[in-house]
Amino acid sequence: MNDRTLRVNSWNGWDPLRHVLVGRADGTMVQAPEPAVQRDFPDDGFPLGSYGPMPAEMTAEANEQLDDFAGILQRRGIRVDRPTALDFSQQVATPDWTQESMFGCMPPRDVLLTVGNEILEATMCYRSRWFEYLAYRPVLQQLFDADPNMRWEAAPKPRLTDASYRPGFWETYNKVPLAEKLERVRNHDLVLTEAEPLFDAADIARCGKDLFVQLSLVTNRSGYRWLKRHFPDHRVHAVTFTNTHPLHIDATWVPLRPGLVLHCGERPAEPELMKYYEINDWEVVEAVQPASWKHYQRLSFCSPWLAVNILNLDPQTVCVEETEVHLADQLVKYGFEVVPVPFRAVGPFGGGLHCATVDIERDGVLEDYFPHRYGRF
Ligand code: NVA
């Protein structure tokens, strides 16, 4: 059935939110090892090499928080769609490889990038996530049918043969000293080779005409170059942060409204990026230490910086995980209304409030927030 009121439109992360996709925890797996990722939770029942579904009680609790979050958004008049989970425990294969399990569909932000009236399916680089786009196809099909202006795009499906990964990367990287790790991050000498374009959508921060693409454990230079050619009307920048495990920009560099970006001080930005923001009159604010700093979370592969993985409802209103009270206080001082959302149980399923969502519609137009050039920017 066509719904003429549906419209895909979002140029940044802060314009007033009208319609959003919220992930589900159903069937999420501790995925089987593969070249790009090797889970190792010896104290939580999943030592290196083992895999299987997340414990049922954790999945139920995460789903309860995701459903409650969807309810909070709906009560504010925001339309919410949800993905359709697949059997993520199944083996998957292409002509090039077989992978013993899939992953899940909690963090849709990793897979889908909305830029204006376009939703782009990212390549991904985990074999366990190769088919994850299928969980979002029912929503994408509905949007395509309803909105005659929606552009539905998919980046080239990668081959993900062994040529896409540095052999033995994790065994070596896990043992090298911190300074060497950071040097490798700055040089982007990490697990992915440049054999083909690879990127996760969550490595991209959208600020109107400027798109910032983090080179990371899941995004390579070739992926960045593909994005740059794909969005010729944007300024697309490759950026790195001093972070031993760069993986998704939205717990590191979080634009909150025109002129204000929250950043993680433990993961300093390149001086040139800082300067680009500063000469364009943006304030770069260092986030306070997360309240969850020392809280151990079973089966989680995320850091406490998930605290800053927040979702704007508009330029004055942000959803923040309810236990992150210090961050909430900090944001109130910057004039935000904070909507507290219980979400800790969702972390082990792949992220926070920003990871768990994809913009479908925000009220707003393409704007240039960076009129002044600096260095390579
Ligand atoms: N990988 C990031 C979270 C990304 C939203 C972290 O662990 O801090």
Side-chain angles (χ1 to χ4, degrees):
M1 197 177 67
N2 278 5
D3 182 344
R4 294 283 163 196
T5 63
L6 292 183
R7 185 175 78 117
V8 174
N9 183 69
S10 177
W11 297 103
N12 57 54
W14 57 76
D15 281 339
L17 187 63
R18 301 289 177 229
H19 187 177
V20 71
L21 180 63
V22 174
R24 289 187 190 281
D26 307 42
T28 301
M29 300 286 290
V30 175
Q31 69 260 63
E34 55 175 303
V37 61
Q38 307 199 330
R39 300 289 180 223
D40 185 12
F41 300 111
D43 301 330
D44 297 338
F46 285 98
L48 186 63
S50 60
Y51 63 95
M54 291 288 279
E57 71 283 3
M58 287 181 70
T59 305
E61 200 187 341
N63 265 335
E64 201 178 312
Q65 293 197 338
L66 284 157
D67 292 348
D68 289 349
F69 178 40
I72 290 171
L73 298 172
Q74 283 163 333
R75 284 193 293 282
R76 286 178 166 257
I78 296 164
R79 181 171 178 147
V80 176
D81 278 323
R82 310 297 298 275
T84 306
L86 308 165
D87 172 7
F88 298 118
S89 70
Q90 67 188 293
Q91 186 191 70
V92 287
T94 70
D96 294 308
W97 45 260
T98 298
Q99 170 69 16
E100 293 308 320
S101 82
M102 301 175 70
F103 169 55
C105 63
M106 195 309 282
R109 184 78 65 175
D110 299 3
V111 184
L112 301 176
L113 177 69
T114 310
V115 176
N117 61 344
E118 170 174 336
I119 300 185
L120 171 67
E121 298 170 9
T123 66
M124 313 308 284
C125 72
Y126 292 0
R127 291 173 180 170
S128 54
R129 304 192 75 178
W130 202 98
F131 289 99
E132 207 168 300
Y133 68 95
L134 293 173
Y136 307 113
R137 281 290 172 94
V139 171
L140 294 170
Q141 182 72 52
Q142 190 194 18
L143 293 169
F144 181 74
D145 290 342
D147 175 0
N149 293 316
M150 183 233 187
R151 285 171 56 95
W152 181 3
E153 297 274 358
K157 290 280 172 270
R159 294 288 293 266
L160 301 186
T161 66
D162 290 347
S164 289
Y165 311 101
R166 292 214 161 78
F169 172 81
W170 292 109
E171 290 77 4
T172 320
Y173 190 71
N174 287 335
K175 287 186 198 124
V176 301
L178 178 67
E180 193 178 325
K181 278 199 180 94
L182 295 177
E183 185 62 16
R184 289 188 67 163
V185 170
R186 278 190 289 271
N187 295 330
H188 197 245
D189 172 18
L190 298 171
V191 64
L192 301 180
T193 67
E194 296 295 336
E196 58 184 342
L198 297 171
F199 67 92
D200 273 17
D203 266 326
I204 296 141
R206 304 166 307 143
C207 291
K209 205 165 164 57
D210 288 69
L211 300 174
F212 300 89
V213 181
Q214 176 182 234
L215 301 178
S216 74
L217 292 164
V218 292
T219 296
N220 64 8
R221 284 196 181 84
S222 183
Y224 154 69
R225 285 203 302 274
W226 188 90
L227 285 159
K228 196 171 169 63
R229 287 183 214 177
H230 184 71
F231 292 112
D233 298 331
H234 282 72
R235 291 185 291 260
V236 186
H237 317 283
V239 294
T240 58
F241 298 86
T242 304
N243 170 8
T244 55
H245 286 78
L247 183 84
H248 302 158
I249 197 167
D250 51 350
T252 297
W253 191 257
V254 183
L256 291 178
R257 66 181 180 220
L260 189 69
V261 60
L262 190 66
H263 91 119
C264 167
E266 201 183 62
R267 300 166 173 174
E270 301 162 62
E272 207 170 78
L273 176 65
M274 293 287 254
K275 189 80 183 165
Y276 183 52
Y277 272 66
E278 282 160 12
I279 67 158
N280 281 290
D281 296 325
W282 282 65
E283 188 177 352
V284 182
V285 176
E286 185 175 335
V288 294
Q289 181 167 294
S292 57
W293 192 240
K294 292 224 182 288
H295 290 199
Y296 159 78
Q297 261 207 307
R298 189 177 168 206
L299 293 173
S300 180
F301 50 87
C302 295
S303 79
W305 289 108
L306 219 46
V308 300
N309 191 254
I310 60 193
L311 181 74
N312 278 73
L313 301 187
D314 60 45
Q316 298 84 34
T317 315
V318 284
C319 293
V320 176
E321 206 289 318
E322 71 166 357
T323 58
E324 296 299 342
V325 289
H326 310 309
L327 179 64
D329 288 346
Q330 183 180 28
L331 293 169
V332 165
K333 289 194 189 105
Y334 279 88
F336 288 98
E337 179 202 338
V338 171
V339 180
V341 180
F343 218 62
R344 284 276 292 159
V346 182
F349 292 78
L353 295 156
H354 196 256
C355 302
T357 51
V358 174
D359 298 10
I360 294 175
E361 186 184 359
R362 290 182 184 268
D363 273 347
V365 295
L366 177 60
E367 289 189 46
D368 187 349
Y369 304 100
F370 296 86
H372 306 295
R373 312 270 58 78
Y374 181 78
R376 72 179 197 278
F377 289 96

